Amino acid sequence: MVDVQLLGPVELSVAGRVVEVGPPQRRTVMAALAVDVGRPVAVDVVIERVWGARVPDGARGAVHAHVARIRRVCEQAATTARNPLLLVRRSGGYLLEARPDQVDVNRFRQLVDQARAAGPTEPARARLLREALDLWRGEPLSGLHGEWAARMREAWRRQHQDAAVGWARAELRHGEPASLIGPLTRLLGEYPLAEPLTEALMRALHETGRSAEALDCYAAVRKRLAEELGTDTGPALRQLHQSILRGHRSTTAPRPEPPTMPRQTDLPAQLPMAVRGFTGRDGELARLATILASAEGESAAVVISAVSGMAGVGKTALAVHWARRVQSAFPDGQLYVNLRGFDPQGSVVAPTEAVRGFLDALGVRPERIPPGLEAQVGLYRSLLTGRRMMVVLDNARDEEQVRPLLPGSVGCMALVTSRNRLTGLAATEGAHLLAVDPLTPDAARDVLAERLGAARLAAEPEAVADLVTWCAGLPLALAVVSARAAAQPQRPLGTLAEQLRETGGRLDALDGGDEASQVRAVFSWSYSALSRPAARLFRLLALHPGPDLDQRAAAALAGVEPERVRGLLAELTGGHLLVEHAPGRYTYHDLLRVYAGELVTAYDDEWDRRAALHRMMDHYLHSARAADILVTPQPNPVAVNAPRPGANAVQPEDYGQAMAWLLAEHPVLLEIVRQPPPGYDGHVWRLVTVLTTFLDRHGYWQALLTAARGALVAAERDGAPAGRAGAHRGLGLALDRLKCPEPAREHYLRALELFAAVGSEAGQARTHQHLSRMSATQGSDELALEHAYRSLEHYRAAGDPAGQAAALNHIGWRQAKCGDHLRALAHCEQALELARAAGDVDGQAHISDSLGYIHHQLGRYQQAVDRYRQAARLFHATGERHSEATCLRCLGDSHHSAGQPEAAHETWTSALALTTELGLPDDDPLRIDLQHRIGNGR
């Protein structure tokens, strides 16, 4: 087998025999391809990885030469290998064909993942991690220079350190402590500030009777931390130090590994896909580089750059290209939002929606997100404190839309694009203003040359001049023209220019002088070359109200099978008439949306447009309903009419797929509710009804409030009391969560009246459930129990076992809090049986947590341990990590009460590590409570 070795010098290995790749630059090219083994790597990406921001003349030719020599090395090695390497050219770039595990860094990750799957108590864990660590032959990518190599090296070293810690802990459980002292000493020489490695070495020394050396080891690392970081050792290391000082001989295994912390790849990386063939903006890129460089010594403020220019001038492409170029300067990730400030349909993204998206990207759990924009902005800025992050705010309307989204942390940079000059940001926030003008004719020719080749342009200079003139210096138009020309390589450019000239003449009478009409001729010329099905799809996509859409939604608009629409989407993206801004998700440029809207009105009659809209609305309503049924098991889901043929509704197979679809599509669904097409009121209120549980569980309470208001209007127009009832329930729930209990209660009571009038037992049951919880929050235990019992009655009448389980659990919890533990136990055990029968995983988690509390209060500590363990496992499975951390704290309490102090310490420490992973601040009550328990043994 031929192996690529990156965890040390970059080399090929054939049956253990090392094959030299060549000089450092060629080894960098080899590494740049190997890290993406099995996937095409664009030449531009290779160039960026080899040279970074300072690309020399002739870089492209140098890459081709290096690839040719690497290919020969691979071919020579293949003569004696069973699994050869092949380096081939693909349309997307160069592709290194091999199995992933033929690259040592991939093999390392596979072994670590296998070890993690084995679990912390399995002896195989230590063997797998030892095998992974043995793949390291020194410094990764040794001898290679540049930002990319340094970034990869640092990321891999962190993974190596994590694996080393895992191996040490596994060996301490199953191995001989004396055999660990030498390897751990060497690892600490490599990672001198790694407290978990210090802890493992101290344990090994202490277990073998060398406690004095363990204390010396602690003193040494404490001194290093103070000198280099200005900090003290953590609580776990201090606890072990005190234990050794007291002469305690530990016969137990070390504390379990905390939940896996986010890796480098888990950091926010929201930038859109890279712009292919970007060129012609050297001046602007240099200006941005100067702004960043001048800020490196500043310590007072965040760096803000506001990029302005007309529509289609390439502001977004410039911002995304530069943000990707300098991403190594912002190692904590990139946030991006399209604010849609000039969306033709008027669907501007509010700051509340944008900041909530950022909090999601930063990993904040819904239960930790506070209500209100001001509090959310405060949390967002707190999370960015001490981090180096790039924040791209694209397509902003004005300063007020931007200000809440600006980071407040030194080391962060905000890059804002807008059609308007945001002078207010310069005046009050010190933003650097950068105007982007249309490309000069020479720069426009460079763009065409990059995409079509210099030789083709040199053969027809007059035709090129015509094409440049028609494109008016707008990169969007140049992209469309070059895509058309590239698709017809045998056709002379003069013929294409003449076609464009004729098209423009026909449109002169329609030219109103606005920005959209400046390039209408180019759009029309490119549109006329589409196949009839692709042209029809291009027009119909203008009817879609959301920020983007996927393949199935596009197929619903067109009324065709998803497999057929894939080729049509490829035709549109290939012609730059549509953008695949994220894998599988498509959107227009604003100018193209305007143009498509003109076409669909002109060429598709009202019946065709209505039919497309109906299929689209059916697609989203039936897909959301199917997802909601899996998220909340229910026997009586919202009644809907059969979907029209061609709606292509999604049918998720399980909870995970349902939640993934809702997370991806909820911005589109909310936009449909915000701006519904006329005549679809029934779809709108039903859509909000099925979205209510998802929006509530994920903390989108402001969005739920807006959506429920829209649903109420739609239901009133539709004459649907069931829709009005559901809307009032949604309004009550949103206001309840937003700490407005009195208006919430009014909406809840109105919902009860309407649900009773239409005979909806399920609706009454859910509303009583909300009232019970709200009453308990306000301290009205008796009223909370009354509503809980009423909820149970209605759930029984509705034949809803999952609902009955939730009501019984709530009854049991309220009884337990009032001291009636035996009755509480009976109710919660009955609830658990029902939840299991209904397959309600979320319900089982909460009921098991209640049972843990009840058994603990009854003094049945081992039963409490069993129930809390089950609850923690289920909370982890459903992604409710904050609930998992709280449950682990209670599990530790039960261990402690059962006379198991070591298990209690391990569990509390795991819970504390999980709060760190969740990003809870140091003053969070749960963190403080856990630290107190760990420090005091209770």
Side-chain angles (χ1 to χ4, degrees), residues 513-632:
D514 61 358
E515 292 172 347
S517 65
Q518 291 182 21
V519 290
R520 187 185 281 108
V522 172
F523 296 163
S524 179
W525 171 70
S526 185
Y527 166 79
S528 66
L530 294 172
S531 66
R532 288 186 64 183
R536 177 174 176 270
L537 177 62
F538 176 75
R539 299 192 305 269
L540 292 176
L541 290 178
L543 302 175
H544 190 272
D548 61 4
L549 80 170
D550 66 0
Q551 179 180 316
R552 293 189 72 92
L557 276 165
V560 300
E561 293 298 318
E563 293 73 19
R564 287 187 57 197
V565 85
R566 184 182 296 116
L568 303 181
L569 290 169
E571 186 176 348
L572 293 176
T573 55
H576 284 270
L577 296 176
L578 199 66
V579 177
E580 188 179 7
H581 72 100
R585 302 204 68 85
Y586 302 87
T587 188
Y588 286 118
H589 187 282
D590 285 354
L591 292 183
L592 283 162
R593 180 183 284 275
V594 169
Y595 177 65
E598 295 172 353
L599 294 179
V600 76
T601 302
Y603 295 111
D604 297 275
D605 61 33
E606 184 176 357
W607 188 92
D608 287 336
R609 296 196 302 271
R610 296 290 296 178
L613 280 171
H614 205 124
R615 289 191 299 269
M616 180 194 75
M617 296 295 285
D618 278 357
H619 167 80
Y620 283 120
L621 174 58
H622 284 265
S623 298
R625 180 177 181 265
D628 180 55
I629 291 170
L630 286 170
V631 169
T632 309

Side-chain angles (χ1 to χ4, degrees), residues 272-339:
M273 296 170 69
V275 180
R276 185 178 64 84
F278 181 89
T279 189
R281 292 297 184 189
D282 293 343
E284 289 85 350
L285 291 171
R287 169 66 174 148
L288 288 169
T290 301
I291 292 170
L292 180 59
S294 66
E296 288 183 353
E298 297 180 6
S299 59
V302 65
V303 183
I304 306 168
S305 181
V307 178
S308 62
M310 64 182 293
V313 81
K315 302 180 295 296
T316 298
L318 171 66
V320 170
H321 179 82
W322 189 75
R324 285 187 171 276
R325 173 183 281 192
V326 299
Q327 62 185 7
S328 61
F330 301 95
D332 294 313
Q334 315 95 37
L335 297 173
Y336 172 90
V337 62
N338 180 2
L339 295 171

Side-chain angles (χ1 to χ4, degrees), residues 584-897:
R585 302 204 68 85
Y586 302 87
T587 188
Y588 286 118
H589 187 282
D590 285 354
L591 292 183
L592 283 162
R593 180 183 284 275
V594 169
Y595 177 65
E598 295 172 353
L599 294 179
V600 76
T601 302
Y603 295 111
D604 297 275
D605 61 33
E606 184 176 357
W607 188 92
D608 287 336
R609 296 196 302 271
R610 296 290 296 178
L613 280 171
H614 205 124
R615 289 191 299 269
M616 180 194 75
M617 296 295 285
D618 278 357
H619 167 80
Y620 283 120
L621 174 58
H622 284 265
S623 298
R625 180 177 181 265
D628 180 55
I629 291 170
L630 286 170
V631 169
T632 309
Q634 51 195 282
N636 301 305
V638 175
V640 295
N641 295 324
R644 284 200 174 186
N648 292 309
V650 174
Q651 295 293 330
E653 295 181 2
D654 53 31
Y655 179 95
Q657 287 186 13
M659 192 59 69
W661 187 88
L662 287 166
L663 287 168
E665 299 294 347
H666 81 270
V668 176
L669 304 178
L670 291 173
E671 195 59 45
I672 289 174
V673 174
R674 192 178 301 145
Q675 297 192 94
Y680 292 95
D681 292 324
H683 284 75
V684 169
W685 67 257
R686 288 180 174 89
L687 189 56
V688 174
T689 300
V690 299
L691 278 177
T692 296
T693 297
F694 167 80
L695 294 173
D696 175 48
R697 284 191 188 173
H698 284 76
Y700 295 113
W701 300 313
Q702 194 64 50
L704 175 57
L705 184 64
T706 302
R709 284 172 176 160
L712 185 58
V713 172
E716 288 173 344
R717 275 199 303 254
D718 197 37
R724 290 164 54 209
H728 280 293
R729 183 178 79 87
L731 285 166
L733 187 55
L735 290 166
D736 182 2
R737 300 296 195 186
L738 292 170
K739 312 299 183 187
C740 303
E742 291 313 311
R745 186 177 298 278
E746 292 177 10
H747 283 291
Y748 282 149
L749 295 177
R750 182 61 179 141
L752 283 176
E753 292 176 9
L754 289 165
F755 279 131
V758 298
S760 174
E761 299 287 354
Q764 293 177 79
R766 285 189 174 188
T767 308
H768 277 298
Q769 193 173 344
H770 301 328
L771 282 164
S772 176
R773 180 183 42 75
M774 190 173 75
S775 298
T777 302
Q778 295 178 306
S780 303
D781 290 328
E782 185 176 342
L783 186 58
L785 266 175
E786 179 184 337
H787 281 299
Y789 275 113
R790 295 288 302 278
S791 176
L792 177 60
E793 291 172 9
H794 288 295
Y795 274 130
R796 283 173 173 164
D800 185 346
Q804 293 173 53
L808 285 165
N809 181 51
H810 201 77
I811 292 169
W813 179 253
R814 298 312 323 156
Q815 290 171 332
K817 298 300 283 186
C818 294
D820 193 355
H821 298 116
L822 291 177
R823 292 179 66 195
L825 182 64
H827 280 115
C828 288
E829 286 179 339
Q830 184 183 356
L832 188 59
E833 291 179 10
L834 286 166
R836 285 173 174 164
D840 185 2
V841 178
D842 183 73
Q844 292 176 58
H846 287 280
I847 298 165
S848 297
D849 184 73
S850 298
L851 285 166
Y853 174 82
I854 295 167
H855 281 299
H856 187 99
Q857 297 303 311
L858 289 169
R860 303 171 181 175
Y861 300 123
Q862 192 54 52
Q863 290 97 319
V865 165
D866 294 340
R867 291 304 189 188
Y868 276 133
R869 276 180 177 160
Q870 182 183 33
R873 178 178 59 81
L874 292 170
F875 281 133
H876 184 86
T878 59
E880 296 185 58
R881 307 305 301 282
H882 191 280
S883 296
E884 180 186 355
T886 305
C887 182
L888 287 172
R889 176 185 62 180
C890 297
L891 173 59
D893 292 349
S894 294
H895 275 305
H896 187 274
S897 298

Side-chain angles (χ1 to χ4, degrees), residues 195-210:
E195 292 188 55
L197 289 176
T198 303
E199 180 185 349
L201 178 57
M202 289 174 64
R203 288 186 184 277
L205 290 167
H206 184 47
E207 289 293 335
T208 54
R210 299 162 65 174

Side-chain angles (χ1 to χ4, degrees), residues 415-481:
L415 188 57
V416 187
T417 75
S418 177
R419 297 187 195 178
N420 296 327
R421 283 181 64 82
L422 303 178
T423 53
L425 288 183
T428 58
E429 279 80 19
H432 304 268
L433 301 182
L434 173 63
V436 179
D437 297 320
L439 293 169
T440 65
D442 287 343
R445 288 189 194 91
D446 289 342
V447 172
L448 292 176
E450 176 69 23
R451 295 170 182 264
L452 302 177
R456 190 174 180 188
L457 267 64
E460 299 182 74
E462 293 182 1
V464 172
D466 285 345
L467 294 176
V468 167
T469 299
W470 279 105
C471 291
L474 298 183
L476 173 62
L478 289 164
V480 172
V481 166

Side-chain angles (χ1 to χ4, degrees), residues 225-242:
L225 287 168
E227 291 175 348
E228 298 188 30
L229 302 180
T231 63
D232 199 1
T233 54
L237 210 55
R238 291 198 299 271
Q239 178 90 6
L240 177 59
H241 178 243
Q242 290 298 315

Side-chain angles (χ1 to χ4, degrees), residues 40-368:
V41 183
V43 175
D44 288 343
V45 173
V46 176
I47 289 172
E48 184 175 349
R49 289 175 178 178
V50 176
W51 287 281
R54 299 180 179 179
V55 179
D57 294 335
R60 191 172 294 272
V63 168
H64 295 325
H66 285 312
V67 166
R69 292 199 172 96
I70 292 170
R71 184 182 289 121
R72 284 200 292 272
V73 171
C74 292
E75 289 171 351
Q76 291 169 3
T79 59
T80 59
R82 185 176 71 252
N83 292 93
L85 296 177
L86 295 176
L87 183 53
V88 296
R89 183 66 188 262
R90 290 285 186 269
S91 58
Y94 289 107
L95 170 68
L96 187 64
E97 283 190 349
R99 287 174 16 197
D101 63 356
Q102 287 179 252
V103 180
D104 59 358
V105 70
N106 290 338
R107 176 65 180 154
F108 169 80
R109 292 188 184 117
Q110 289 175 358
L111 290 165
V112 170
D113 289 341
Q114 290 172 23
R116 186 178 294 113
T121 61
E122 292 291 334
R125 183 179 179 86
R127 176 182 57 77
L128 289 164
L129 290 172
R130 177 72 266 170
E131 186 178 349
L133 295 173
D134 287 342
L135 292 171
W136 287 65
R137 299 170 295 110
E139 181 183 56
L141 306 178
S142 62
L144 303 190
H145 305 288
E147 295 177 356
W148 176 78
R151 191 165 65 248
M152 291 296 99
R153 193 178 293 121
E154 181 60 27
W156 295 346
R157 279 175 57 83
R158 282 195 290 270
Q159 295 171 22
H160 181 248
Q161 180 179 332
D162 290 344
V165 171
W167 165 78
R169 288 171 173 164
E171 285 287 7
L172 281 170
R173 289 189 185 89
H174 305 292
E176 174 57 46
S179 66
L180 303 181
I181 295 173
L184 284 172
T185 302
R186 290 191 293 273
L187 284 166
L188 263 178
E190 192 170 352
Y191 305 108
L193 301 179
E195 292 188 55
L197 289 176
T198 303
E199 180 185 349
L201 178 57
M202 289 174 64
R203 288 186 184 277
L205 290 167
H206 184 47
E207 289 293 335
T208 54
R210 299 162 65 174
S211 299
E213 292 178 55
L215 295 174
D216 289 341
C217 182
Y218 176 84
V221 76
R222 188 179 187 189
K223 181 180 179 182
R224 282 195 297 270
L225 287 168
E227 291 175 348
E228 298 188 30
L229 302 180
T231 63
D232 199 1
T233 54
L237 210 55
R238 291 198 299 271
Q239 178 90 6
L240 177 59
H241 178 243
Q242 290 298 315
S243 178
I244 295 173
L245 284 174
R246 290 194 294 266
H248 292 173
R249 175 75 173 227
S250 174
T251 58
T252 62
R255 62 188 175 93
E257 293 184 60
T260 305
M261 296 295 288
R263 297 183 185 178
Q264 183 73 16
T265 53
D266 294 325
L267 296 172
Q270 294 187 315
L271 291 177
M273 296 170 69
V275 180
R276 185 178 64 84
F278 181 89
T279 189
R281 292 297 184 189
D282 293 343
E284 289 85 350
L285 291 171
R287 169 66 174 148
L288 288 169
T290 301
I291 292 170
L292 180 59
S294 66
E296 288 183 353
E298 297 180 6
S299 59
V302 65
V303 183
I304 306 168
S305 181
V307 178
S308 62
M310 64 182 293
V313 81
K315 302 180 295 296
T316 298
L318 171 66
V320 170
H321 179 82
W322 189 75
R324 285 187 171 276
R325 173 183 281 192
V326 299
Q327 62 185 7
S328 61
F330 301 95
D332 294 313
Q334 315 95 37
L335 297 173
Y336 172 90
V337 62
N338 180 2
L339 295 171
R340 304 178 71 188
F342 301 89
D343 186 271
Q345 298 179 333
S347 53
V348 177
V349 175
T352 51
E353 184 179 343
V355 76
R356 175 54 206 269
F358 285 169
L359 292 175
D360 287 341
L362 292 166
V364 182
R365 297 298 305 166
E367 59 268 22
R368 197 189 152 215

